[in-house]
Amino acid sequence: MTAGTSPSPTEQRETPHRSGFACFVGRPNAGKSTLTNALVGTKVAITSNRPQTTRHTVRGIVHRPEAQLVLVDTPGLHKPRTLLGERLNDVVRTTWAEVDVIGFCLPADQKLGPGDRYIATELAGIKKTPKVAIVTKTDLVEPEQLAQQLIAIDRLGTELGIEWAEIVPVSAVDAEKGGAGRSPSAEGGGGRGAGQVGLLADLLVPLLPEGPALYPEGDLTDEPEQVMVAELIREAALEGVRDELPHSIAVVVEEMLPREDRPADRPLLDIHANLYIERPSQKGIIIGPKGRRLKEVGTKSRKHIEALLGTPVFLDLHVKVAKDWQRDPKQLRKLGF
């Protein structure tokens, strides 16, 4: 095939279809969920500027003519302080053992630290699975700082005996703005604003095994709708909450039912959900003065839920106390962990 021409039908048939699972790992708040959403092209993973917000392995599905890439978003691996923390770490390790390729997310704006080394040391023990180092948040740094980070990651791999399949700088934020650009080189050329999320998918696909599509065309996630709705509510509840509260919020959708006696052209879905916190003193923080904060949470999450489900929604939220639920096995089971 000559440069600039389209592949013939025969050449297209010769390209084997690939499908498989990739997971993103990294410290909490390394940009894993934002990257998943940017690759899939829609919101399937909860994002927050607070660390440690992902609690379920959300699968985002990237469809291409020649491949299907299923992204597994894991919680950030961290030093656990509670039973919940231990269970989240177990989820990460189980996921690593089951995927075809691992993407290790390292923020460009933070020097490699003990947390990164801890994860890299664990990854070094997984010999067969290809590993891609993904330098996230490149929009926050100058080309020189990015170059230093790329060199540091290369050295870390050499030191621990990890052979990176690729080292890729990306900005998921720029990709969301439509700025997927060319690769910035280690010398600093091409620099900031290069989203590169499409290039990342190009590099991950060849690392997948050959095989048919695993999910129907058009599916973006296999996460149950009720779980995704609960995550959207929790994301809205996390915004603007300070201190330790993000770790103390769990959301359970109790009911999702179409409103009866509605005309076919004006459907309405009733969603009843409970927000659980650990102590009575936290209730006022979530509800806010005269219920204003809870109302904002409802308004914000309802817009995302309606976009996700494609139907108008009536959202009924209640705040309840589940004392010290992060440390109680019985409560964790009840809340879905």
Side-chain angles (χ1 to χ4, degrees):
M1 187 178 78
T2 57
T5 63
S6 299
S8 70
T10 309
E11 287 169 320
Q12 283 181 326
R13 276 198 300 274
E14 286 170 2
T15 306
H17 188 278
R18 294 181 181 274
S19 60
F21 295 84
C23 81
F24 296 142
V25 301
R27 282 185 291 120
N29 212 20
K32 301 181 293 295
S33 296
T34 306
L35 191 55
T36 297
N37 289 334
L39 274 163
V40 176
T42 190
K43 194 179 190 67
V44 292
I46 180 173
T47 56
S48 167
N49 58 4
R50 304 292 307 188
Q52 202 47 51
T53 52
T54 305
R55 289 179 181 162
H56 300 274
T57 52
V58 176
R59 288 176 170 83
I61 304 164
V62 181
H63 298 274
R64 289 189 161 200
E66 79 288 4
Q68 191 177 77
L69 174 65
V70 185
L71 301 166
V72 185
D73 182 40
T74 61
L77 196 71
H78 63 297
K79 195 170 181 179
R81 295 187 179 88
T82 63
L83 182 60
L84 172 65
E86 288 172 19
R87 290 200 179 169
L88 294 178
N89 277 358
D90 288 343
V91 166
V92 178
R93 292 190 183 96
T94 303
T95 304
W96 290 2
E98 295 172 348
V99 296
D100 301 297
V101 58
I102 297 170
F104 183 18
C105 295
L106 301 127
D109 62 331
Q110 297 167 34
K111 286 191 174 178
L112 301 187
D116 299 310
R117 184 170 288 274
Y118 169 62
I119 295 168
T121 303
E122 294 233 353
L123 287 177
I126 304 167
K127 298 297 182 190
K128 290 183 180 176
T129 311
K131 298 160 201 75
V132 174
I134 304 167
V135 188
T136 59
K137 308 185 182 185
T138 57
D139 54 297
L140 301 179
V141 299
E142 297 295 339
E144 294 77 16
Q145 190 178 340
L146 175 58
Q148 288 168 8
Q149 189 75 327
L150 295 174
I151 292 164
I153 291 166
D154 188 43
R155 281 182 186 151
L156 178 67
T158 304
E159 190 184 319
L160 296 175
I162 300 172
E163 191 176 330
W164 303 118
E166 303 281 352
I167 301 176
V168 195
V170 300
S171 167
V173 173
D174 286 337
E176 284 170 359
K177 296 173 186 169
R182 287 194 309 242
S183 165
S185 69
E187 288 75 40
R192 299 169 76 184
Q196 273 202 294
V197 169
L199 173 62
L200 174 60
D202 292 341
L203 296 172
L204 291 175
V205 163
L207 300 172
L208 302 176
E210 292 180 20
L214 301 163
Y215 294 92
E217 181 70 36
D219 281 14
L220 297 176
T221 180
D222 71 351
E223 192 72 274
E225 284 182 347
Q226 282 193 220
V227 173
M228 293 187 70
V229 167
E231 288 289 274
L232 290 172
I233 295 168
R234 196 164 72 89
E235 179 175 28
L238 288 176
E239 287 188 21
V241 178
R242 294 185 300 277
D243 304 326
E244 84 290 352
L245 203 52
H247 306 284
S248 305
I249 300 173
V251 178
V252 175
V253 174
E254 301 292 346
E255 204 172 52
M256 284 173 56
L257 291 171
R259 178 80 60 90
E260 291 181 7
D261 304 325
R262 296 280 294 189
D265 60 340
R266 290 180 58 228
L268 185 67
L269 186 67
D270 286 319
I271 298 177
H272 302 278
N274 292 327
L275 283 80
Y276 289 93
I277 34 95
E278 291 195 298
R279 295 187 294 280
S281 58
Q282 296 170 338
K283 211 167 180 177
I285 300 172
I286 291 290
I287 293 172
K290 297 183 179 176
R292 278 201 298 270
R293 173 144 181 73
L294 188 62
K295 191 176 179 184
E296 281 172 20
V297 170
T299 303
K300 190 164 284 187
S301 58
R302 185 171 51 80
K303 284 180 187 170
H304 287 305
I305 293 165
E306 287 180 340
L308 171 74
L309 302 178
T311 186
V313 163
F314 172 78
L315 185 58
D316 177 39
L317 297 179
H318 294 273
V319 180
K320 297 190 173 187
V321 178
K323 190 168 166 35
D324 293 330
W325 65 264
Q326 291 189 73
R327 292 170 174 80
D328 180 346
K330 200 171 168 184
Q331 301 255 41
L332 282 171
R333 275 197 303 276
K334 183 186 168 188
L335 298 174
F337 299 107

